[in-house]
Amino acid sequence: MPLLEADAVLKQLQQRQFQPVYFLQGEEPYYIDVVADLIEKTVLAEHERSFNQVVIYGKDVDVTGILGQAKRFPMMAERSVVIVKEAQTVADLEQERSWPFLEAYLKNPLSSTVLVFCYKHKTLDSRKKLGKLLSGKDSPAVLMTSKKLYDNQVPQWLTANVRGRGQQITGQATAMLAEYIGADLGRLANEVDKLVLNLKPGQPIDEELVQRLVGISKDYNIFELQKALVQRDILKANRILGYFAANPKANPLIPNLTLLFNFFTKLLVLHQAGPNPSDGVFKGLGILNSFAQKEYQQALRAYPVERVVGLIHAIRRADAQSKGIESGSMDDAEILRELVWLILHNVPAGVLE
């Protein structure tokens, strides 16, 4: 069978179109889990699972053991299901001595078995025999590759995920979740689950709900610090830094540096697009709502391109300091405070680099 995207695989499963072998691979584990969970919950009725559904872990089994399970006929059911979780840890899966056994099974799979490999955080080498066996046009296997999203794709994914649940989300809430959590789809989906459970009928997911349930302080968070930097509000920035220093576990340095780095790198791209970036440029960066676009437009005026380049160097230096490189006795709060001081004050470009 050809390579399939996750949406196509899910659609087939929902229509109860089952294939004998699924090989789910890729850097993004979220869709691997979603597809495997749907197979686990829908192929067999609940009363059929105890005898006909087996979930095994790669580190506990070898290829011969997996195929032994796959060759068993179902008991009082139409199908049996074998799910191999963490298949990337099967010791001999990618060893040549196992490939003849896999090839023999793929040429004549048991039609009553649904065999699922969950091969996470990596992909097979398509140049090697196993990759060719699974991706060949005559292969009975569904080969699905789950790719990591780019950061600028996260807002659209998040909006679609919420709408797919029959709910709405505001642009500001989308931007906040996308920036705060990033491209960790599993964590994003879990946070959306929590938010949806707390919605009142007709209520959209908004900024207030995100702040309350995702653990982002309403007045003292990285987004408010970013806003203070854009507005050059030194007093507000120092208040937020004081809160961060008093609550280090809730405001770890590395995620905050990542968010500031993302903000200024996007700002650099906008500078390169000219004095009036088009909507297409904003959308290409994942800046979808008008509120966020206005904030970036204000930042374009506040921080010329040469200064943005220097600030990106300063953030990289702060990241190195957080790892103990040229930081002396500075703790995380002092590293962030120095960085914010450099951002807010007109320091010569050479100092920032």
Side-chain angles (χ1 to χ4, degrees), residues 244-257:
F244 283 5
N247 300 273
K249 289 185 179 179
N251 300 279
L253 177 60
I254 297 300
N256 286 337
L257 290 179

Side-chain angles (χ1 to χ4, degrees), residues 10 33 36 45 83 90 112 125 202 209 214 225 227 241 244 283 332 351:
L10 290 169
D33 288 337
I83 300 176
V90 176
S112 59
D125 188 338
L209 192 68
V214 182
L225 177 60
K227 189 185 298 182
L241 289 174
F244 283 5
K283 290 177 181 177
D332 285 358
V351 174

Side-chain angles (χ1 to χ4, degrees), residues 19 44 46 81 105 119 125 141 165 173-174 178 185 221 255-256 262:
Q19 305 302 326
L44 298 174
E46 188 172 354
V81 176
Y105 186 80
Y119 188 87
D125 188 338
R165 302 164 187 252
T174 299
L185 300 191
N221 59 64
N256 286 337
N262 289 341

Side-chain angles (χ1 to χ4, degrees), residues 179-193:
E179 290 286 344
Y180 187 69
I181 297 175
D184 184 340
L185 300 191
R187 186 180 169 200
L188 275 173
N190 288 336
E191 294 296 350
V192 171
D193 287 341

Side-chain angles (χ1 to χ4, degrees), residues 102-205:
L102 286 163
E103 183 175 16
Y105 186 80
L106 288 171
K107 284 183 176 178
N108 188 29
L110 193 63
S111 60
S112 59
T113 296
V114 178
L115 172 60
V116 185
F117 292 89
C118 301
Y119 188 87
K120 292 183 176 179
H121 309 298
K122 56 194 292 194
T123 58
L124 291 173
D125 188 338
S126 60
R127 299 167 299 178
K128 292 186 177 180
K129 183 69 176 287
L130 182 56
K132 290 178 179 178
L133 284 173
L134 290 165
S135 60
K137 63 179 182 179
D138 297 325
S139 172
V142 169
L143 180 59
M144 185 196 85
T145 301
S146 181
K147 297 178 181 178
K148 279 279 189 185
L149 289 188
Y150 294 110
D151 287 340
N152 65 341
Q153 296 173 309
V154 172
Q156 291 173 308
W157 181 91
L158 187 54
T159 301
N161 183 276
V162 173
R163 287 178 179 170
R165 302 164 187 252
Q167 304 293 341
Q168 298 294 318
I169 183 169
T170 66
Q172 183 127 357
T174 299
M176 183 174 285
L177 283 169
E179 290 286 344
Y180 187 69
I181 297 175
D184 184 340
L185 300 191
R187 186 180 169 200
L188 275 173
N190 288 336
E191 294 296 350
V192 171
D193 287 341
K194 183 166 59 177
L195 292 163
V196 167
L197 284 173
N198 286 272
L199 286 177
K200 297 175 183 177
Q203 177 191 6
I205 297 173

